[in-house]
């Protein structure tokens, strides 16, 4: 019989003590306490644990469901690009890497596969997707984002939520999504992790809220608050953000969880509360439903409710949201709900990781050198660089090498294919000799090893230079001030350029680096950021032309770190538009990416009544290929300064050589809107410019204008 969730939840709450209710609003970190303490908390009816795997989860569930009100636990995990805190799970490309695909279907499938692997461990909830924007590459967590654009983040985030949750949370293999970090986390001053964010609420609504709005519409089950603060108010203490905007205005029906120990941070880091009672009062009254990792919250909150500093109805509302999610997941019917373990790392998930990685490769420069051909010019290839054979740097952050506790020396578990393995796998087919010389580390050089490497290069036809960053340089609290090539890698590259050999550069890095010298001195340049288990295979297949690259950049590459922040949708008004010592154009712009074929855009028309754009795209090259059509708009004259262009649609298409098709995009007034100083959203009257083409670069866009004759308020 179908449950009447709200009725049952209300009844259960009416039978619970204050202690039991507070316990439900607490999530504890399993790896941060002795096992016996965790067991005690499970018996006392704590709401959730994070970072528990497999049998340990089952054991805690036994305790929770055989004591007190027997409410099942909900287990959370950071399954960020696959369930990869678990060793044999499928490792997908990182979020920034998968954003290069602009492929919502594949991203949805990857989330569906991840949900199954998480569910096979008896877990129910992933802290994903990340909807922060990566607008300053110094920030340590840029690799976790979908890049710099709010629309792309919203579309891909929505695809992920659909993949994790499906239409029915109680179905086998479905888990709760958690959109994070709410809000403005990526925008912290100076890209300093978790620091204050100097933005107005107008800007929050215009730039950072839209992706969250998008997933709230999809029924995203939970949202995590950011560590940072907006205009001096920590996000975890921010009633306006959590209660007024998220829950009341947007109608968010799921539950809000704080980030790791945020309640303590209100005291120890942000200094807005003196003690746990004050901090817990602020946290509950501003709209958090579950507090992550702060054990001291529990006793403090019980006292607060008993003393009336927090109204019991506030606590009840938090518990209602949590219990509703548990019931909708089906945990009250079966607290041990799980899929068979054989789905973890299953062959079809590995295949999906490979298919997705193929679409994440972005070719950014190609002076007629790629794809390599089976000919005399390519008899001996030397692959040089340490990331060519590094599974850790192929994976990036949030795998068993980095979490829950860093374990960089963990034994890697197959299957995976590093870049050199991918290259070697193709040498017979291409009838060439391929050798690998590490040449250097990310940070240090070994002169003897280097000399050895350069001996190999002497009689080679081509060098593939593999450079990047490593997992010590990316992630939480790993912000960087210098984004150029490390000294060690730079020395190798300088020496390489002196050999006069043609160089193909492959960047295996978590996020863009400032490397104009590499781009200038290489015949070709490509990357897929951290492309996951099959990254090495797809990069090698791209070099040899078995994969036609079709990824585009979800983030700009600055020439120099001093250009930060530098994103395509900047505001007009900078008098000189550039630093005197820097080119205006970033090294690579948002949306940029080449293919081994060519696409031509024509026949652009815009119908003002139906707000529909049509465009014809033709594959004018010699092989089939995929393209990402991008549509931008600009409000030509607006009452507040608006960006020079903003992405409002994209479509991934595939065309055979010589094939042409017409594509249509229909918009709503909201797509052309802006946010006023009083925080209302309107589409203003006047001239609007719509642009369509292959990247955000003006030169690749066809522009068309229309006039809107009245201002319309958007609800
Ligand atoms: C802190 C991170 O900011 C967040 O993204 C993550 O989900 C939690 N820790 C749990 O590991």
């Amino acid at each position: 019989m179908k449950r009447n969730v709200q009725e049952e939840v209300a009844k259960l709450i009416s039978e619970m003590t204050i202690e039991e209710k507070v316990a439900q609003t607490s999530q504890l970190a399993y790896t941060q306490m002795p096992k016996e303490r965790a067991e005690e908390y499970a018996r006392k009816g704590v709401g959730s644990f994070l970072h528990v795997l497999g049998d340990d989860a089952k054991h805690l569930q036994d305790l929770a469901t055989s004591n007190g009100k027997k409410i099942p636990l909900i287990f959370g995990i950071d399954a960020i690009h696959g369930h990869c805190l678990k060793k044999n799970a499928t490792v997908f490309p990182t979020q920034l890497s998968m954003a290069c695909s602009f492929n919502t279907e594949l991203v949805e499938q990857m989330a569906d596969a991840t949900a199954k692997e998480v569910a096979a461990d008896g877990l129910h909830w992933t802290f994903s997707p990340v909807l922060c924007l990566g607008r300053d590459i110094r920030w340590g967590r840029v690799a976790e984002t979908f890049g710099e654009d709010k629309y792309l983040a919203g579309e891909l985030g929505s695809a992920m939520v659909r993949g994790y949750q499906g239409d029915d949370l109680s179905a086998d293999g479905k888990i709760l999504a958690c959109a994070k970090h709410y809000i403005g986390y990526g925008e912290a001053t100076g890209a300093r992790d978790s620091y204050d964010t100097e933005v107005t609420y107008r800007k929050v609504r215009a730039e950072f809220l839209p992706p969250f709005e998008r997933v709230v519409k999809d029924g995203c089950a939970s949202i995590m608050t950011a560590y940072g603060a907006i205009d001096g108010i920590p996000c975890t203490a921010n009633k306006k953000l959590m209660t007024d905007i998220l829950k009341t205005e947007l109608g968010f029906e799921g539950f809000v969880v704080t980030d790791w120990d945020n309640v303590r941070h209100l005291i120890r880091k942000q200094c807005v509360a003196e003690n746990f009672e004050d901090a817990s009062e602020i946290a509950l009254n501003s709209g958090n439903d579950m507090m992550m990792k702060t054990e001291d919250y529990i006793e403090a909150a019980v006292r607060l409710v008993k003393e009336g500093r927090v109204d019991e109805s506030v606590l009840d509302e938090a518990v209602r949201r949590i219990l509703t999610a548990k019931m909708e997941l089906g945990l009250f019917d079966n607290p041990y709900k799980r899929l068979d373990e054989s789905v973890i790392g299953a062959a079809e998930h590995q295949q999906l990781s490979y298919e997705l990685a193929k679409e994440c490769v972005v070719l950014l420069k190609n002076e007629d050198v790629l794809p390599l051909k089976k000919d005399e010019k390519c008899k001996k290839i030397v692959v040089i660089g340490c990331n060519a054979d590094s599974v850790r740097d192929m994976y990036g952050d949030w795998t068993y090498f980095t979490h829950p506790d860093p374990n960089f020396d963990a034994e890697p578990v197959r299957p995976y294919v590093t870049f050199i393995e991918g290259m070697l796998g193709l040498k017979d087919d291409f009838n060439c000799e391929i050798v690998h010389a590490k040449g250097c580390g990310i940070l240090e050089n070994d002169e003897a090893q280097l000399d050895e490497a350069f001996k190999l290069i002497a009689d080679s036809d081509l060098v593939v230079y593999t450079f990047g960053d490593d997992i010590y340089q990316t992630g939480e609290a790993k912000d960087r001030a210098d984004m150029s090539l490390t000294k060690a890698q730079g020395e190798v590259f300088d020496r390489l350029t002196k050999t006069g050999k043609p160089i193909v550069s492959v960047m295996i890095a978590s996020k863009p680096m400032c490397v104009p010298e590499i781009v200038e001195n290489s015949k070709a340049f490509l990357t897929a950021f951290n492309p996951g288990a099959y990254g090495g295979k797809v990069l090698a297949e791209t070099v040899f032309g078995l994969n036609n690259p079709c990824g585009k950049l979800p983030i700009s590459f600055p020439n120099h770190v001093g250009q930060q922040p530098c994103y395509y949708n900047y505001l007009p008004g900078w008098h000189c538009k550039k630093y005197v010592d820097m080119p205006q154009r970033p090294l690579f712009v948002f949306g940029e990416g080449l293919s081994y074929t060519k696409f031509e855009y024509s026949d652009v028309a815009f119908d003002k009544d139906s707000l529909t754009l049509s465009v014809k795209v033709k594959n004018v090259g010699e092989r089939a290929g995929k393209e990402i059509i991008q549509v931008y708009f600009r409000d030509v004259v607006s009452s507040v300064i608006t960006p020079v262009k903003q992405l409002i649609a994209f479509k991934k298409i595939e065309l055979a050589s010589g094939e042409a098709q017409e594509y249509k995009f229909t918009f709503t007034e909201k797509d052309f809107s802006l946010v006023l100083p009083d925080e209302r959203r309107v589409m203003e009257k006047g001239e609007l410019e719509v642009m369509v083409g292959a990247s955000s670069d003006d030169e690749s866009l066809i522009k068309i204008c229309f006039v809107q004759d009245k201002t319309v308020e958007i609800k």
Side-chain angles (χ1 to χ4, degrees):
M1 200 184 68
K2 201 155 167 43
R3 286 174 175 274
N4 183 334
V5 176
Q6 284 315 318
E7 219 171 79
E8 283 190 51
V9 165
K11 180 161 180 296
L12 189 51
I13 293 175
S14 71
E15 292 160 1
M16 288 167 79
T17 63
I18 291 176
E19 284 78 359
E20 285 170 333
K21 290 193 273 198
V22 167
Q24 276 302 309
T25 62
S26 178
Q27 177 183 61
L28 298 174
Y30 186 64
T31 56
Q32 306 291 308
M33 61 179 69
K35 195 168 170 223
E36 299 69 41
R37 196 146 95 234
E39 290 171 341
E40 194 47 34
Y41 277 121
R43 278 189 209 98
K44 282 194 179 146
V46 80
S48 172
F49 282 94
L50 76 155
H51 296 165
V52 198
L53 294 174
D55 291 343
D56 290 342
K58 184 177 173 304
H59 174 60
L60 293 175
Q61 194 67 292
D62 284 342
L63 299 174
T65 52
S66 53
N67 285 285
K69 292 282 182 309
K70 303 186 172 33
I71 298 174
L73 277 159
I74 188 176
F75 295 110
I77 189 87
D78 287 285
I80 305 295
H81 50 114
H83 179 35
C84 25
L85 269 49
K86 170 114 180 163
K87 273 203 154 182
N88 52 340
T90 311
V91 182
F92 290 95
T94 54
Q95 245 192 242
L96 189 65
S97 176
M98 64 178 109
C100 301
S101 75
F102 283 64
N103 190 326
T104 49
E105 281 99 47
L106 281 180
V107 167
E108 182 174 339
Q109 286 171 31
M110 103 85 211
D112 174 68
T114 300
K116 291 191 171 111
E117 300 201 15
V118 167
D121 241 335
L123 313 180
H124 319 112
W125 178 21
T126 177
F127 305 124
S128 167
V130 170
L131 300 181
C132 311
L133 304 184
R135 309 212 303 177
D136 187 328
I137 63 168
R138 294 173 296 174
W139 184 38
R141 304 190 71 173
V142 165
E144 293 178 55
T145 71
F146 287 121
E148 72 193 33
D149 182 69
K150 61 187 171 200
Y151 177 76
L152 181 61
E155 291 303 297
L156 296 177
S158 162
M160 263 196 179
V161 170
R162 285 197 302 277
Y164 291 136
Q165 299 193 167
D167 299 329
D168 174 9
L169 278 172
S170 69
D172 286 341
K174 290 291 126 193
I175 59 173
L176 307 183
C178 181
K180 67 187 190 186
H181 308 79
Y182 186 75
I183 200 167
Y185 184 21
E187 203 70 4
T189 309
R192 297 171 188 146
D193 196 16
S194 309
Y195 195 42
D196 184 55
T197 310
E198 290 189 13
V199 292
T200 60
Y201 282 95
R202 193 191 76 78
K203 190 155 180 186
V204 166
R205 286 185 183 272
E207 297 303 326
F208 311 119
L209 192 61
F212 285 95
E213 250 180 287
R214 179 80 170 87
V215 299
V216 166
K217 273 211 192 91
D218 296 322
C220 183
S222 68
I223 286 183
M224 186 187 293
T225 58
Y227 282 137
I230 301 285
D231 198 16
I233 311 287
C235 293
T236 301
N238 203 312
K239 182 162 181 295
K240 171 163 175 161
L241 284 173
M242 267 179 291
T243 303
D244 303 348
I245 298 182
L246 184 63
K247 292 180 177 173
T248 309
E249 191 184 313
L250 301 185
F252 172 62
E253 286 176 356
F255 64 99
V256 174
V257 61
T258 73
D259 200 346
W260 184 267
D261 225 359
N262 271 5
V263 175
R264 180 186 308 270
H265 295 337
L266 296 179
I267 313 166
R268 300 281 149 78
K269 292 200 192 271
Q270 290 160 319
C271 312
V272 295
E274 263 179 33
N275 51 42
F276 280 102
E277 259 144 52
D278 291 355
S280 305
E281 179 182 351
I282 296 172
L284 275 168
N285 281 339
S286 50
N288 297 281
D289 301 304
M290 185 178 271
M291 322 299 152
M292 183 191 287
K293 157 72 179 75
T294 311
E295 277 179 79
D296 296 290
Y297 154 80
I298 301 179
E299 275 186 19
V302 169
R303 275 198 299 275
L304 287 170
V305 179
K306 289 193 170 159
E307 285 163 13
R309 281 172 64 185
V310 170
D311 200 279
E312 199 166 341
S313 64
V314 171
L315 179 63
D316 287 357
E317 173 58 7
V319 178
R320 184 189 71 76
R321 287 173 180 263
I322 293 163
L323 294 184
T324 302
K326 290 184 175 183
M327 211 169 270
E328 282 176 349
L329 261 178
L331 294 181
F332 280 85
D333 300 309
N334 178 11
Y336 300 101
K337 186 184 163 196
R338 68 195 293 167
L339 289 185
D340 192 86
E341 266 195 72
S342 59
V343 306
I344 299 181
E348 64 265 31
H349 297 174
Q350 303 289 348
Q351 179 66 24
L352 180 61
S353 177
Y354 168 64
E355 297 298 337
L356 177 54
K358 278 209 252 183
E359 301 219 359
C360 302
V361 180
V362 193
L363 177 65
L364 290 159
K365 178 177 180 182
N366 188 14
E367 282 180 348
D368 277 343
V369 60
L370 294 182
L372 299 182
K373 290 167 206 75
K374 205 176 188 173
D375 63 18
E376 286 311 308
K377 283 190 263 165
C378 205
K379 278 281 165 215
K380 180 175 176 188
I381 300 170
V382 176
V383 178
I384 186 162
C386 51
N387 278 3
D389 201 22
S390 165
V391 58
R392 290 165 185 77
D393 302 315
M394 199 70 95
Y395 284 5
D397 201 11
W398 291 107
T399 72
Y400 55 88
F401 293 118
T402 57
H403 288 87
D405 296 308
N407 186 7
F408 299 128
D409 298 326
E411 193 53 38
V413 176
R414 297 275 177 184
Y416 61 80
V417 184
T418 66
F419 180 56
I420 187 62
E421 289 169 347
M423 291 292 283
L424 290 172
L426 295 174
K427 75 177 173 26
D428 293 344
D429 295 354
F430 284 84
N431 200 16
C432 56
E433 186 191 349
I434 297 181
V435 281
H436 175 221
K438 201 169 160 203
C440 64
I442 295 283
L443 296 175
E444 266 167 44
N445 277 338
D446 169 336
E447 285 307 316
Q449 219 186 66
L450 259 185
D451 290 343
E452 210 38 51
F454 277 87
K455 267 190 216 141
L456 293 171
I457 290 170
D459 67 341
S460 68
D461 303 303
L462 181 111
V463 177
V464 178
Y465 180 54
T466 317
F467 72 95
D469 61 11
D470 67 18
I471 51 178
Y472 301 90
Q473 293 174 312
T474 183
E476 255 185 282
K478 297 207 182 83
D479 311 323
R480 293 177 62 188
D482 183 358
M483 293 306 303
S484 49
L485 205 57
T486 56
K487 188 162 170 277
Q489 295 187 97
E491 278 168 13
V492 176
F493 191 70
D494 277 354
R495 216 167 136 178
L496 271 182
T497 54
K498 294 195 183 103
T499 65
K501 301 282 177 190
I503 304 170
V504 168
S505 287
V506 177
M507 186 184 93
I508 297 176
S510 59
K511 56 185 172 180
M513 293 173 63
C514 303
V515 285
E517 72 286 13
I518 299 242
V519 176
E520 197 185 319
N521 294 299
S522 303
K523 295 252 175 253
F525 180 88
L526 63 151
T527 189
F529 298 114
N530 300 128
Y534 298 92
K537 185 170 161 69
V538 302
L539 285 166
E541 288 177 350
T542 309
V543 166
F544 281 107
L546 302 177
N547 177 42
N548 187 359
C550 63
K552 304 242 183 180
L553 284 182
I555 188 165
S556 313
F557 270 61
N559 288 289
H560 186 278
V561 73
Q563 282 184 310
Q564 288 296 273
C566 111
Y567 36 83
Y568 82 94
N569 48 351
Y570 61 89
L571 300 177
W574 187 8
H575 281 200
C576 38
K577 285 197 184 155
K578 67 186 274 298
Y579 294 101
V580 285
D581 49 2
M582 225 18 85
Q584 187 193 348
R585 192 187 193 278
L587 190 52
F588 299 114
V589 300
F590 177 86
E592 188 169 351
L594 302 166
S595 160
Y596 292 147
T597 187
K598 277 206 163 54
F599 298 93
E600 214 173 69
Y601 287 69
S602 66
D603 300 28
V604 176
F606 189 82
D607 177 53
K608 191 190 145 195
D609 297 324
S610 61
L611 298 180
T612 300
L613 174 92
S614 52
V615 58
K616 191 164 141 196
V617 185
K618 181 169 186 194
N619 180 346
V620 292
E622 267 149 35
R623 58 184 287 183
K626 293 184 180 171
E627 165 69 329
I628 299 158
I629 307 174
Q630 300 162 46
V631 186
Y632 299 86
F633 99 103
R634 172 170 80 104
D635 193 334
V636 179
V637 178
S638 43
S639 64
V640 288
I641 305 174
T642 50
V644 292
K645 56 176 78 83
Q646 302 184 63
L647 185 72
I648 45 172
F650 62 84
K651 188 170 182 61
K652 187 136 198 188
I653 58 161
E654 183 166 17
L655 293 173
S657 165
E659 190 185 352
Q661 271 199 42
E662 193 194 57
Y663 299 91
K664 283 190 189 303
F665 297 86
T666 298
F667 298 99
T668 63
E669 288 162 341
K670 189 172 184 189
D671 294 316
F672 300 103
S673 64
L674 53 81
V675 180
L676 295 171
D678 64 7
E679 297 181 35
R680 277 180 311 125
R681 199 174 252 288
V682 292
M683 178 191 189
E684 285 189 339
K685 65 177 183 192
E687 195 182 349
L688 292 135
E689 188 173 59
V690 185
M691 304 161 241
V692 59
S695 89
S696 70
D697 198 342
D698 276 331
E699 287 185 3
S700 57
L701 291 169
I702 302 175
K703 302 180 179 177
I704 192 163
C705 283
F706 74 101
V707 175
Q708 165 75 8
D709 26 56
K710 59 174 191 314
T711 296
V712 211
E713 181 146 2
I714 314 288
K715 285 290 170 206

